[in-house]
Amino acid sequence: MSHDAVPDPLDDALRRHTDYGAERLEEEDVASDPIAQFTAWMAEAAERGVYEPNAMVLGTIDPDGQPSIRTVLLRGVDERGFEFYTDYTSRKGRALLANPAVSVVFPWYTLHRQVIIFGEAHPVEREASEDYFARRPRGAQIAAWSSDQSQPIASREALEEKVRDTEERFRGDETVPRPERWGGFRIAPHRIEFWQGRTSRLHDRLVFRAAVGGGWELERIQP
């Protein structure tokens, strides 16, 4: 008696080949400024239902030279660069204070698009950190005080106890002040790549590079 083979989900996932379609990215389609092009693509990602369109994978180099990556949320973008916020004593905070070189990927998979950024990250102005922290939900403000980000802790219960202690500390206070160790970084880009998936892995890749003397140079690179 024959038996039908049972599909192996792992094998299926590893062998899957998705056709990324025929949507094109031509030089005449992009803005002359990569920040304008990025904001247009991010707005489109939000309109087309991408989950957390401001989520970006951030790559850093630790003080001991080891690479490290994680997902963070973009909280601001303008001609100066891309802003996100964190604990300066966390692993990424310590890495960036020691070595500001970074790379970032916005992986908008359902659109078959990526934006890849290379640049340097430096702490934002104190006023910017104060302003953003003041706009956070109170629970997130309490969490920033309660968590020594990236440091070991004995249990979830121990973390929740720290939260209760912080809530008691600020009980009755109308506002929660920003911890000195918490604030923003701004990535000043020198290279921004716009990646559009295409059929047969012949993707469109348009790269903006900061030009000497100001402005940007645009070139196409091979997939």
Side-chain angles (χ1 to χ4, degrees), residues 2-93:
S2 63
H3 298 277
D4 293 334
V6 177
D8 181 341
L10 175 60
D11 185 66
D12 177 64
L14 294 174
R15 294 177 179 273
R16 188 173 301 168
H17 186 96
T18 302
D19 189 313
Y20 290 159
E23 191 168 354
R24 306 166 66 90
L25 181 63
E26 301 290 351
E27 285 80 350
E28 59 267 23
D29 297 330
V30 298
S32 59
D33 178 81
I35 303 298
Q37 181 62 36
F38 172 84
T39 56
W41 262 23
M42 173 164 277
E44 186 176 348
E47 291 169 359
R48 292 172 65 176
V50 170
Y51 178 73
E52 299 277 39
N54 61 326
M56 59 186 190
V57 181
L58 171 71
T60 59
I61 302 296
D62 288 346
D64 61 1
Q66 295 300 308
S68 181
I69 59 172
R70 78 289 289 158
T71 300
V72 300
L73 297 178
L74 179 70
R75 290 307 189 190
V77 57
D78 58 25
E79 69 280 357
R80 297 171 298 172
F82 302 80
E83 289 182 18
F84 65 96
Y85 290 81
T86 189
D87 187 321
Y88 289 141
T89 64
S90 66
R91 182 171 182 174
K92 61 181 167 298

XYZ file of all heavy atoms in Angstrom, residues 2-93:
723
model
N 0.600 2.165 -0.904
C 1.422 3.372 -0.994
C 0.882 4.432 -0.049
O -0.296 4.468 0.293
C 1.421 3.906 -2.434
O 0.109 4.279 -2.807
N 1.800 5.257 0.373
C 1.434 6.355 1.258
C 1.890 7.669 0.620
O 2.977 7.749 0.053
C 2.108 6.199 2.628
C 1.680 4.953 3.355
N 0.527 4.890 4.090
C 2.254 3.721 3.431
C 0.402 3.671 4.611
N 1.444 2.945 4.221
N 1.025 8.663 0.706
C 1.399 9.978 0.186
C 2.486 10.583 1.068
O 2.434 10.486 2.292
C 0.185 10.917 0.167
C -0.861 10.466 -0.840
O -0.477 9.792 -1.814
O -2.049 10.786 -0.645
N 3.478 11.178 0.431
C 4.551 11.826 1.182
C 3.990 13.033 1.932
O 3.175 13.785 1.417
C 5.665 12.261 0.235
N 4.441 13.180 3.152
C 4.015 14.311 3.967
C 4.967 15.478 3.690
O 6.180 15.334 3.841
C 4.034 13.951 5.466
C 3.647 15.177 6.301
C 3.097 12.791 5.735
N 4.444 16.636 3.266
C 5.327 17.766 2.984
C 6.118 18.185 4.227
O 5.608 18.148 5.339
C 4.348 18.873 2.553
C 3.104 18.162 2.151
C 3.033 16.930 3.020
N 7.360 18.537 4.012
C 8.219 19.015 5.080
C 8.165 20.549 5.060
O 8.660 21.171 4.122
C 9.649 18.536 4.846
C 10.605 18.977 5.956
O 10.266 19.921 6.685
O 11.693 18.380 6.067
N 7.563 21.169 6.091
C 7.430 22.638 6.067
C 8.773 23.352 5.965
O 8.875 24.374 5.277
C 6.728 22.942 7.390
C 6.034 21.678 7.762
C 6.925 20.583 7.262
N 9.804 22.843 6.647
C 11.106 23.486 6.588
C 11.674 23.404 5.183
O 12.180 24.389 4.634
C 12.063 22.858 7.589
C 13.509 23.370 7.545
C 13.555 24.869 7.827
C 14.385 22.615 8.536
N 11.611 22.208 4.599
C 12.134 22.028 3.248
C 11.377 22.909 2.267
O 11.974 23.518 1.368
C 12.022 20.555 2.844
C 12.674 20.290 1.497
O 13.904 20.433 1.404
O 11.951 19.936 0.543
N 10.060 23.003 2.449
C 9.253 23.849 1.577
C 9.679 25.308 1.691
O 9.804 26.016 0.688
C 7.773 23.700 1.937
C 6.884 24.607 1.104
O 6.825 24.431 -0.125
O 6.256 25.512 1.690
N 9.922 25.761 2.926
C 10.325 27.148 3.134
C 11.681 27.435 2.495
O 11.893 28.501 1.898
C 10.370 27.458 4.624
N 12.612 26.482 2.604
C 13.951 26.694 2.066
C 13.991 26.655 0.548
O 14.861 27.286 -0.076
C 14.908 25.646 2.640
C 15.170 25.736 4.148
C 16.009 24.548 4.608
C 15.867 27.041 4.499
N 13.082 25.903 -0.044
C 13.080 25.749 -1.502
C 12.138 26.704 -2.224
O 12.128 26.766 -3.449
C 12.702 24.307 -1.864
C 13.730 23.274 -1.425
C 13.259 21.856 -1.746
N 14.240 20.872 -1.343
C 15.256 20.461 -2.105
N 15.404 20.968 -3.320
N 16.110 19.559 -1.680
N 11.334 27.422 -1.462
C 10.335 28.292 -2.087
C 10.993 29.360 -2.937
O 12.002 29.950 -2.577
C 9.474 28.940 -1.002
C 8.275 29.719 -1.545
C 7.393 30.165 -0.404
N 6.921 29.001 0.369
C 6.333 29.105 1.544
N 6.183 30.286 2.110
N 5.916 28.019 2.172
N 10.389 29.604 -4.099
C 10.891 30.625 -5.015
C 9.730 31.531 -5.403
O 8.774 31.083 -6.048
C 11.510 29.988 -6.268
C 12.163 30.971 -7.183
N 13.514 31.232 -7.160
C 11.644 31.780 -8.137
C 13.812 32.135 -8.078
N 12.686 32.489 -8.680
N 9.796 32.775 -4.980
C 8.727 33.721 -5.256
C 9.124 34.622 -6.407
O 10.228 35.171 -6.431
C 8.435 34.587 -4.013
O 8.079 33.726 -2.926
C 7.295 35.559 -4.284
N 8.227 34.762 -7.362
C 8.455 35.693 -8.460
C 8.076 37.084 -7.976
O 6.948 37.317 -7.560
C 7.605 35.303 -9.672
C 7.964 36.106 -10.905
O 8.082 37.349 -10.792
O 8.116 35.519 -11.987
N 9.017 38.015 -8.007
C 8.786 39.340 -7.458
C 8.068 40.282 -8.414
O 7.889 41.460 -8.099
C 10.110 39.968 -7.020
C 10.713 39.303 -5.806
C 12.067 39.438 -5.527
C 9.941 38.535 -4.943
C 12.630 38.836 -4.404
C 10.491 37.922 -3.835
C 11.832 38.078 -3.573
O 12.380 37.483 -2.473
N 7.686 39.793 -9.580
C 6.820 40.586 -10.433
C 7.536 41.507 -11.390
O 8.754 41.463 -11.553
N 6.740 42.377 -12.015
C 7.249 43.195 -13.110
C 7.252 44.680 -12.794
O 7.480 45.504 -13.679
C 6.405 42.944 -14.365
N 7.002 45.065 -11.522
C 7.026 46.482 -11.183
C 8.444 47.013 -11.365
O 9.411 46.449 -10.850
C 6.554 46.695 -9.745
C 6.307 48.152 -9.401
C 5.568 48.323 -8.084
O 5.140 47.315 -7.495
O 5.435 49.488 -7.660
N 8.574 48.121 -12.072
C 9.879 48.628 -12.474
C 10.321 49.786 -11.591
O 9.504 50.460 -10.961
C 9.837 49.111 -13.929
C 9.323 48.088 -14.906
C 8.989 48.720 -16.250
N 10.168 49.227 -16.938
C 10.904 48.500 -17.776
N 10.595 47.238 -18.023
N 11.949 49.028 -18.372
N 11.625 50.005 -11.558
C 12.190 51.191 -10.927
C 13.217 51.762 -11.891
O 14.330 51.250 -12.017
C 12.842 50.843 -9.580
C 13.444 52.037 -8.826
C 12.358 53.038 -8.446
C 14.186 51.566 -7.576
N 12.829 52.823 -12.560
C 13.692 53.449 -13.549
C 14.242 54.771 -13.013
O 13.662 55.390 -12.124
C 12.908 53.706 -14.841
C 12.317 52.462 -15.481
C 13.368 51.558 -16.085
O 14.544 51.975 -16.164
O 13.019 50.430 -16.483
N 15.377 55.180 -13.575
C 16.013 56.407 -13.125
C 15.073 57.610 -13.201
O 15.077 58.476 -12.310
C 17.281 56.679 -13.948
C 18.465 55.798 -13.606
C 18.394 54.394 -14.237
O 17.332 54.030 -14.794
O 19.410 53.685 -14.159
N 14.258 57.654 -14.246
C 13.347 58.795 -14.396
C 12.169 58.739 -13.425
O 11.412 59.714 -13.300
C 12.827 58.868 -15.835
C 12.087 57.637 -16.307
C 12.988 56.637 -17.012
O 14.215 56.660 -16.762
O 12.458 55.842 -17.810
N 12.023 57.599 -12.713
C 10.909 57.453 -11.777
C 11.219 57.976 -10.383
O 10.297 58.156 -9.564
C 10.515 55.978 -11.652
C 10.005 55.394 -12.955
O 9.431 56.159 -13.762
O 10.177 54.176 -13.167
N 12.493 58.168 -10.063
C 12.855 58.534 -8.693
C 13.106 60.043 -8.579
O 13.488 60.702 -9.549
C 14.111 57.760 -8.204
C 13.836 56.266 -8.200
C 15.326 58.099 -9.036
N 12.889 60.561 -7.378
C 13.169 61.973 -7.113
C 14.666 62.223 -7.189
O 15.482 61.308 -7.022
C 12.621 62.352 -5.740
N 15.046 63.466 -7.397
C 16.473 63.798 -7.466
C 17.125 63.770 -6.091
O 18.346 63.674 -5.993
C 16.664 65.187 -8.095
O 15.975 66.181 -7.337
N 16.305 63.831 -5.045
C 16.809 63.786 -3.675
C 16.362 62.474 -3.027
O 15.165 62.157 -3.024
C 16.258 64.968 -2.869
C 16.732 64.931 -1.424
O 17.867 65.362 -1.164
O 15.972 64.444 -0.566
N 17.296 61.682 -2.461
C 16.912 60.372 -1.919
C 15.999 60.462 -0.691
O 15.222 59.534 -0.448
C 18.256 59.730 -1.567
C 19.196 60.880 -1.370
C 18.750 61.917 -2.342
N 16.083 61.540 0.098
C 15.190 61.672 1.245
C 13.752 61.826 0.756
O 12.822 61.222 1.310
C 15.595 62.853 2.136
C 17.044 62.696 2.617
C 14.641 62.977 3.318
C 17.283 61.463 3.467
N 13.552 62.619 -0.286
C 12.214 62.767 -0.865
C 11.723 61.445 -1.418
O 10.543 61.087 -1.261
C 12.237 63.833 -1.957
N 12.601 60.687 -2.072
C 12.214 59.387 -2.600
C 11.863 58.423 -1.472
O 10.890 57.676 -1.551
C 13.341 58.809 -3.456
C 13.028 57.451 -4.078
C 11.853 57.504 -5.032
O 11.665 58.488 -5.748
N 11.038 56.457 -5.046
N 12.654 58.452 -0.391
C 12.372 57.575 0.744
C 11.017 57.891 1.366
O 10.234 56.986 1.649
C 13.472 57.707 1.799
C 13.151 56.973 3.066
C 13.421 55.611 3.174
C 12.554 57.607 4.141
C 13.091 54.911 4.320
C 12.233 56.915 5.296
C 12.500 55.559 5.387
N 10.739 59.159 1.608
C 9.471 59.503 2.243
C 8.292 59.129 1.355
O 7.240 58.719 1.860
C 9.428 61.001 2.600
O 9.666 61.788 1.432
C 10.478 61.337 3.647
N 8.469 59.232 0.041
C 7.402 58.818 -0.871
C 7.170 57.313 -0.780
O 6.024 56.846 -0.735
C 7.750 59.228 -2.303
N 8.246 56.538 -0.749
C 8.109 55.079 -0.644
C 7.535 54.679 0.715
O 6.723 53.764 0.801
C 9.464 54.425 -0.877
C 9.635 53.929 -2.286
C 8.968 54.368 -3.388
C 10.528 52.908 -2.730
N 9.396 53.691 -4.501
C 10.355 52.782 -4.127
C 11.465 52.103 -2.104
C 11.076 51.862 -4.895
C 12.197 51.197 -2.868
C 11.993 51.071 -4.245
N 7.944 55.347 1.787
C 7.405 55.000 3.101
C 5.912 55.307 3.165
O 5.130 54.524 3.704
C 8.140 55.719 4.216
C 7.485 55.516 5.573
S 8.524 55.941 6.972
C 9.465 54.418 7.128
N 5.507 56.452 2.634
C 4.086 56.780 2.608
C 3.310 55.741 1.812
O 2.208 55.323 2.209
C 3.886 58.173 2.016
N 3.874 55.297 0.701
C 3.208 54.270 -0.105
C 3.139 52.951 0.656
O 2.131 52.238 0.593
C 3.939 54.077 -1.429
C 3.225 53.123 -2.369
C 3.902 53.001 -3.721
O 4.798 53.822 -4.019
O 3.534 52.082 -4.480
N 4.199 52.607 1.377
C 4.186 51.380 2.179
C 3.063 51.423 3.212
O 2.357 50.429 3.435
C 5.534 51.179 2.861
N 2.877 52.573 3.858
C 1.806 52.715 4.840
C 0.439 52.603 4.163
O -0.459 51.910 4.664
C 1.931 54.053 5.558
N 0.280 53.258 3.016
C -0.993 53.225 2.303
C -1.335 51.823 1.816
O -2.508 51.443 1.773
C -0.936 54.187 1.115
C -0.896 55.658 1.517
C -0.576 56.556 0.341
O -0.367 56.026 -0.780
O -0.520 57.786 0.541
N -0.305 51.035 1.480
C -0.542 49.688 0.956
C -0.532 48.622 2.049
O -0.517 47.431 1.762
C 0.501 49.382 -0.129
C 0.301 50.254 -1.369
C 1.420 50.136 -2.390
N 1.527 48.823 -2.981
C 2.381 48.495 -3.954
N 3.205 49.429 -4.440
N 2.429 47.274 -4.435
N -0.578 49.045 3.295
C -0.807 48.126 4.398
C 0.390 47.367 4.897
O 0.222 46.335 5.565
N 1.612 47.854 4.656
C 2.791 47.194 5.208
C 2.758 47.313 6.726
O 2.536 48.399 7.270
C 4.081 47.820 4.655
C 5.308 47.309 5.394
C 4.206 47.539 3.155
N 2.977 46.196 7.421
C 3.002 46.209 8.882
C 4.254 46.926 9.364
O 5.359 46.629 8.923
C 2.984 44.772 9.411
C 3.052 44.664 10.918
C 1.959 44.995 11.707
C 4.219 44.260 11.549
C 2.015 44.916 13.085
C 4.295 44.166 12.927
C 3.192 44.502 13.694
O 3.256 44.423 15.060
N 4.080 47.887 10.275
C 5.201 48.668 10.819
C 6.135 49.156 9.704
O 7.315 48.784 9.637
C 6.003 47.829 11.824
C 5.203 47.361 13.037
C 5.107 48.407 14.137
O 4.960 49.596 13.796
O 5.170 48.034 15.306
N 5.647 50.006 8.812
C 6.496 50.457 7.699
C 7.728 51.225 8.154
O 8.691 51.353 7.393
C 5.557 51.359 6.879
C 4.507 51.798 7.849
C 4.318 50.637 8.785
N 7.718 51.729 9.398
C 8.879 52.453 9.922
C 9.866 51.555 10.653
O 10.839 52.050 11.242
C 8.429 53.581 10.851
C 7.658 53.080 12.063
O 6.932 52.088 11.976
N 7.786 53.766 13.192
N 9.640 50.234 10.622
C 10.588 49.307 11.248
C 11.820 49.158 10.360
O 11.711 48.962 9.144
C 9.935 47.952 11.473
N 12.988 49.250 10.986
C 14.230 49.133 10.216
C 15.212 48.245 10.966
O 15.275 48.263 12.195
C 14.851 50.511 9.962
C 15.197 51.315 11.204
S 15.764 52.992 10.763
C 16.381 53.573 12.353
N 15.949 47.442 10.213
C 16.975 46.578 10.779
C 18.271 47.369 10.816
O 18.783 47.800 9.785
C 17.136 45.291 9.951
C 18.195 44.385 10.572
C 15.805 44.554 9.837
N 18.791 47.557 12.029
C 19.959 48.413 12.258
C 21.185 47.564 12.549
O 21.187 46.753 13.473
C 19.679 49.350 13.438
C 20.854 50.176 13.968
C 21.241 51.265 12.968
C 20.503 50.782 15.317
N 22.241 47.747 11.765
C 23.491 47.039 11.973
C 24.551 47.967 12.544
O 24.732 49.086 12.056
N 25.229 47.491 13.609
C 26.272 48.283 14.265
C 27.507 47.419 14.488
O 27.469 46.198 14.311
C 25.781 48.820 15.626
O 25.422 47.713 16.463
C 24.572 49.728 15.457
N 28.577 48.048 14.921
C 29.802 47.353 15.297
C 30.054 47.611 16.777
O 30.200 48.762 17.199
C 31.009 47.818 14.469
C 30.755 47.610 12.978
C 32.273 47.083 14.914
C 30.600 46.157 12.563
N 30.089 46.534 17.590
C 30.317 46.665 19.026
C 31.725 47.201 19.304
O 32.617 47.125 18.439
C 30.169 45.303 19.711
C 28.719 44.835 19.766
O 27.823 45.660 19.518
O 28.496 43.643 20.058
N 31.962 47.737 20.512
C 33.303 48.225 20.857
C 34.404 47.181 20.689
O 35.564 47.530 20.461
C 33.152 48.646 22.325
C 31.710 49.041 22.450
C 30.980 48.063 21.566
N 34.047 45.874 20.793
C 35.050 44.824 20.612
C 35.173 44.369 19.161
O 35.848 43.390 18.867
C 34.740 43.627 21.521
C 33.390 42.990 21.208
O 32.695 43.459 20.273
O 33.006 42.029 21.904
N 34.499 45.092 18.253
C 34.621 44.795 16.835
C 33.621 43.794 16.295
O 33.650 43.489 15.099
N 32.701 43.297 17.134
C 31.722 42.316 16.688
C 30.492 43.007 16.092
O 30.008 44.003 16.633
C 31.289 41.431 17.854
C 32.389 40.563 18.415
C 32.944 39.611 17.370
O 32.206 38.879 16.724
N 34.257 39.636 17.199
N 29.970 42.479 14.970
C 28.758 43.071 14.397
C 27.532 42.694 15.214
O 27.504 41.654 15.881
C 28.704 42.442 12.997
C 29.385 41.124 13.152
C 30.473 41.350 14.176
N 26.514 43.526 15.149
C 25.277 43.278 15.870
C 24.133 43.918 15.101
O 24.288 45.005 14.542
C 25.357 43.854 17.285
O 24.175 43.601 18.010
N 22.977 43.230 15.057
C 21.810 43.780 14.374
C 20.583 43.630 15.243
O 20.522 42.759 16.113
C 21.559 43.110 13.008
C 21.336 41.603 13.167
C 22.698 43.389 12.048
C 20.885 40.924 11.887
N 19.592 44.484 15.001
C 18.309 44.424 15.684
C 17.328 45.314 14.916
O 17.726 46.127 14.078
C 18.405 44.877 17.145
C 18.476 46.352 17.362
C 19.778 46.984 16.956
N 20.845 46.591 17.885
C 22.115 46.623 17.577
N 22.520 47.014 16.354
N 23.044 46.279 18.445
N 16.045 45.177 15.230
C 15.033 46.018 14.614
C 14.693 47.171 15.548
O 14.466 46.975 16.742
C 13.758 45.220 14.301
O 14.075 44.152 13.403
C 12.697 46.104 13.664
N 14.671 48.382 15.011
C 14.251 49.568 15.749
C 13.222 50.305 14.895
O 12.997 49.963 13.732
C 15.446 50.490 16.087
C 16.466 49.762 16.947
C 16.117 51.007 14.814
N 12.599 51.327 15.478
C 11.572 52.078 14.767
C 12.067 53.472 14.414
O 12.587 54.196 15.271
C 10.305 52.190 15.617
C 9.617 50.869 15.945
C 8.396 51.124 16.836
C 9.200 50.121 14.679
N 11.917 53.832 13.156
C 12.243 55.179 12.701
C 11.226 56.145 13.297
O 10.017 55.921 13.220
C 12.188 55.239 11.176
C 12.493 56.599 10.538
C 13.969 56.934 10.694
C 12.102 56.591 9.065
N 11.706 57.248 13.892
C 10.805 58.210 14.517
C 10.903 59.612 13.930
O 10.164 60.504 14.354
C 11.082 58.270 16.019
C 10.663 57.019 16.766
C 9.222 56.659 16.493
N 8.735 55.586 17.348
C 7.578 54.963 17.180
N 6.785 55.321 16.163
N 7.207 54.005 17.995
N 11.777 59.800 12.957
C 11.873 61.097 12.306
C 12.780 61.013 11.100
O 13.746 60.242 11.091
N 12.471 61.781 10.066
C 13.334 61.833 8.878
C 13.197 63.217 8.256
O 12.102 63.752 8.104
C 12.971 60.723 7.868
C 11.512 60.788 7.440
C 13.893 60.777 6.658
N 14.332 63.818 7.945
C 14.372 65.077 7.221
C 15.712 65.157 6.500
O 16.430 64.146 6.411
C 14.137 66.278 8.147
C 15.141 66.384 9.296
O 16.272 65.861 9.153
O 14.802 66.988 10.321
N 16.049 66.343 6.012
C 17.285 66.477 5.227
C 18.528 66.180 6.040
O 19.603 65.920 5.481
C 17.373 67.884 4.623
C 17.597 69.011 5.609
C 16.321 69.442 6.333
O 15.241 68.887 6.021
O 16.409 70.331 7.204
N 18.414 66.179 7.381
C 19.569 65.882 8.228
C 19.795 64.388 8.392
O 20.905 63.954 8.728
C 19.397 66.519 9.604
C 19.328 68.027 9.596
C 18.942 68.549 10.967
N 17.606 68.064 11.360
C 17.077 68.228 12.569
N 17.775 68.855 13.508
N 15.869 67.778 12.833
N 18.753 63.566 8.195
C 18.915 62.126 8.323
C 17.735 61.439 8.968
O 16.612 61.969 8.984
N 18.005 60.259 9.547
C 16.991 59.344 10.035
C 17.148 59.186 11.552
O 18.217 58.806 12.035
C 17.147 57.982 9.352
C 17.051 58.043 7.851
C 18.147 58.439 7.083
C 15.871 57.721 7.215
C 18.051 58.506 5.694
C 15.765 57.782 5.823
C 16.865 58.182 5.068
N 16.076 59.448 12.317
C 16.152 59.445 13.779
C 15.477 58.225 14.395
O 14.417 57.796 13.946
C 15.474 60.695 14.350
C 16.219 61.987 14.123
C 15.512 63.158 14.765
O 14.652 62.936 15.645
O 15.805 64.307 14.385
N 16.095 57.700 15.440
C 15.481 56.682 16.285
C 15.948 56.917 17.708
O 16.903 57.665 17.959
C 15.841 55.267 15.819
C 17.297 54.929 15.948
C 17.785 54.246 17.056
C 18.196 55.286 14.949
C 19.132 53.930 17.182
C 19.555 54.984 15.062
C 20.015 54.309 16.182
N 15.282 56.265 18.663
C 15.550 56.527 20.077
C 15.815 55.230 20.826
O 15.257 54.174 20.489
C 14.371 57.288 20.698
C 14.299 58.704 20.166
C 13.712 58.974 18.929
C 14.857 59.759 20.868
C 13.686 60.262 18.410
C 14.836 61.053 20.368
C 14.254 61.297 19.139
O 14.238 62.567 18.631
N 16.670 55.323 21.856
C 17.071 54.127 22.587
C 17.726 54.510 23.906
O 17.840 55.689 24.240
C 18.041 53.281 21.733
O 18.254 52.016 22.371
C 19.373 53.993 21.539
N 18.152 53.509 24.628
C 18.945 53.690 25.843
C 20.409 53.776 25.418
O 20.939 52.865 24.777
C 18.709 52.495 26.775
C 19.355 52.652 28.137
O 20.478 53.177 28.201
O 18.752 52.207 29.128
N 21.086 54.857 25.772
C 22.485 55.031 25.365
C 23.415 53.986 25.991
O 24.526 53.771 25.497
C 22.978 56.427 25.735
C 22.385 57.544 24.899
C 22.041 58.765 25.481
C 22.179 57.407 23.532
C 21.508 59.807 24.726
C 21.647 58.428 22.769
C 21.313 59.629 23.372
O 20.792 60.660 22.615
N 22.965 53.338 27.071
C 23.800 52.308 27.701
C 23.458 50.906 27.207
O 24.041 49.932 27.677
C 23.659 52.360 29.236
O 22.313 52.039 29.610
C 24.016 53.730 29.771
N 22.511 50.783 26.269
C 22.189 49.478 25.692
C 23.323 49.024 24.779
O 24.270 49.776 24.510
C 20.896 49.581 24.879
O 21.099 50.420 23.742
N 23.217 47.815 24.293
C 24.271 47.313 23.406
C 24.426 48.197 22.174
O 25.536 48.565 21.798
C 23.960 45.870 22.988
C 25.038 45.269 22.092
C 24.837 43.788 21.851
N 25.913 43.254 21.038
C 26.069 41.963 20.749
N 25.208 41.063 21.225
N 27.078 41.553 19.998
N 23.301 48.565 21.539
C 23.416 49.409 20.357
C 23.872 50.807 20.702
O 24.634 51.435 19.950
C 22.098 49.449 19.589
C 20.901 49.993 20.314
C 19.679 49.925 19.420
C 18.386 50.156 20.177
N 18.123 49.129 21.220
N 23.419 51.328 21.870
C 23.864 52.648 22.279
C 25.359 52.703 22.490
O 26.047 53.620 22.009
